[in-house]
Amino acid sequence: MDLPFSLVTESFNPPPARLLDFDSVGSPRTLRPRPVGADASAEADLRADLAWFWNSNADWADDQITVAESYPDLVRRLVHSLGFREGDRIVVCASEPDDRRAAWKAALPEGVEVSDWRPRRLGRVLLRDLAALVDERTRLVLLTKACPVTGSLNEIIPVAQLLEGTDAVLATEASHFLAHGSLDIRNLRCDAVIADVAEFFGARGAALWARRLDPAASANGAVSPNVLAGLARAVSYAERLGEAPTAPVAPPSERFGRREPMRKGMQGIRQEERILSRWMLRGLARIKGISVLGEDDPRRAAYRIPTFTFTCEGGSAPALGAALAAEGVQVAAGDLGSSTTLENLGHDPEAGVLRASLGHYHTRDDVERFLRVLQSLV
């Protein structure tokens, strides 16, 4: 995709001079603020926006989609809607950050068992591991679409097929994927999608789609105009990208209504980020002592999102992160709030790792500058 950078620069707040912001998880680049209205229809309009964005049924948006100020709030509503009983079991991807895993555990009634579905070396989960965890007591499986540590992607449909004929509900956790690709709910065969939207172009709050949602759970309560407007702006940005003449062609099945430009916009982002990912992976491979967690083959960039977590042989992750910051390159360093995931991947959370997260608005020059600065410090 020939990305319309005029739209990028028009829409996004630039970082301070000389600062390269590669910490899109902790400090996502935000869309330029527009007037925030307190229109009574703002919530209904946003639900319809999300229905188009996720390719669910816009006519059912008021019954299936809800937004909230926080991720734990939506977890509580979904758990209440599913009606767990003592003795039930849920299976949670152990690649989820510690705070999101804690939100699920806190929301469950007493007596509900939680089983960890642990990621393997690349940060992906395997079907055979899930098969060993699912039994007649399993009521929910939470599948992480994109691992927040390694960026590796998990496929949803094979998991849905494995759960056919069971009483388990399949929920897709999309927080880390939301800004990097398109979900097609009509064809995914999952029962719910939940996301903390903080990584979605600077939005705030959380969003949930569920096939069967208790009416009490879909009632939003008090959601601030800023949360509604921020999420609406993020969806609108994807739609505007898809309206550009250079946007890729949408699949025939998605050439209808607002879904077509939204799908084209996110498809263009995926294409741009794959190119950036190949450059980043090739460059990191040339730096002695740097080891990338997860998929590190540039030819397999389609199997990940542009989140690059790495270690430096013989170096301290926090110290290297501080040195990069002093050179105007902002990355995340430490345990990334994902100590359990790091342990499962064989890394010491106390030693820490570094994470550079690209967005489609970065350029090849940004990547090359990052690699030059990193090379000079190791």
Side-chain angles (χ1 to χ4, degrees):
M1 177 183 184
D2 184 9
L3 194 71
F5 272 100
S6 60
L7 178 57
V8 174
T9 55
E10 168 196 330
S11 301
F12 281 90
N13 288 311
R18 288 194 68 254
L19 176 65
L20 277 180
D21 182 6
F22 284 146
D23 182 18
S24 64
V25 177
S27 308
R29 193 91 61 98
T30 56
L31 290 172
R32 293 184 183 278
R34 294 183 176 86
V36 176
D39 194 314
S41 66
E43 279 190 28
D45 292 344
L46 176 56
R47 293 186 198 211
D49 290 347
L50 288 169
W52 286 109
F53 184 70
W54 278 335
N55 199 22
S56 63
N57 192 322
D59 292 335
W60 299 347
D62 286 343
D63 297 322
Q64 294 184 329
I65 293 177
T66 187
V67 294
E69 295 281 327
S70 73
Y71 182 87
D73 186 15
L74 284 189
V75 171
R76 287 191 295 270
R77 296 187 201 185
L78 182 57
V79 166
H80 174 76
S81 184
L82 294 174
F84 290 104
R85 300 186 301 271
E86 184 175 353
D88 287 345
R89 169 189 288 173
I90 76 166
V91 177
V92 177
C93 270
S95 52
E96 278 302 298
D98 299 336
D99 60 345
R100 290 207 287 262
R101 286 162 47 82
W104 282 93
K105 291 181 178 180
L108 293 171
E110 187 174 348
V112 176
E113 179 183 333
V114 179
S115 296
D116 282 339
W117 184 8
R118 297 184 178 181
R120 296 292 182 148
R121 183 179 62 86
L122 296 180
R124 296 192 184 98
V125 288
L126 301 183
L127 280 178
R128 67 172 182 266
D129 294 335
L130 176 61
L133 294 171
V134 173
D135 59 21
E136 68 280 357
R137 296 188 296 122
T138 306
R139 296 292 175 264
L140 172 72
V141 173
L142 182 68
L143 171 66
T144 301
K145 176 59 182 173
C147 177
V149 172
T150 68
S152 296
L153 296 174
N154 293 309
E155 294 301 318
I156 298 170
I157 291 178
V159 179
Q161 291 172 331
L162 186 146
L163 296 177
E164 283 182 359
T166 74
D167 293 330
V169 167
L170 174 58
T172 298
E173 218 298 333
S175 300
H176 202 58
F177 180 76
L178 206 57
H180 303 288
S182 177
L183 290 174
D184 182 0
I185 280 175
R186 295 185 191 224
N187 293 308
L188 284 183
R189 298 162 66 178
C190 63
D191 302 287
V193 173
I194 188 169
D196 182 327
V197 302
E199 297 173 33
F200 186 43
F201 310 142
R204 294 166 47 203
L208 167 70
W209 169 87
R211 195 177 305 279
R212 293 177 295 277
L213 194 60
D214 187 292
S218 63
N220 274 338
V223 181
S224 73
N226 283 330
V227 167
L228 297 173
L231 186 47
R233 281 197 301 266
V235 175
S236 174
Y237 172 72
E239 187 172 14
R240 291 171 67 200
L241 274 182
E243 290 168 348
T246 55
V249 177
S253 61
E254 299 190 48
R255 295 176 192 168
F256 60 93
R258 296 177 62 197
R259 174 61 182 175
E260 181 174 5
M262 289 182 185
R263 172 60 188 267
K264 289 167 65 177
M266 295 310 298
Q267 196 170 327
I269 285 173
R270 282 286 287 153
Q271 292 180 10
E272 196 73 20
E273 291 179 345
R274 284 178 195 172
I275 296 170
L276 292 171
S277 294
R278 287 194 287 269
W279 287 333
M280 178 68 93
L281 290 170
R282 289 187 187 117
L284 289 172
R286 292 194 297 265
I287 301 177
K288 187 176 180 180
I290 296 295
S291 297
V292 176
L293 279 65
E295 185 63 70
D296 60 0
D297 185 344
R299 296 168 299 180
R300 292 177 58 82
Y303 295 90
R304 56 142 58 238
I305 57 173
T307 292
F308 306 94
T309 301
F310 57 94
T311 59
C312 179
E313 184 178 351
S316 161
L320 182 54
L324 285 165
E327 296 293 327
V329 179
Q330 183 66 45
V331 299
D335 68 6
L336 310 180
S338 299
S339 58
T340 301
T341 305
L342 290 175
E343 288 174 352
N344 287 330
L345 295 174
H347 292 272
D348 180 4
E350 292 189 7
V353 292
L354 295 108
R355 177 172 60 195
S357 301
L358 293 172
H360 64 282
Y361 41 72
H362 287 110
T363 66
R364 184 170 185 174
D365 288 343
D366 292 338
V367 174
E368 293 299 331
R369 179 182 157 194
F370 166 75
L371 293 170
R372 285 197 303 271
V373 173
L374 179 62
Q375 175 74 77
S376 71
L377 295 173
V378 300

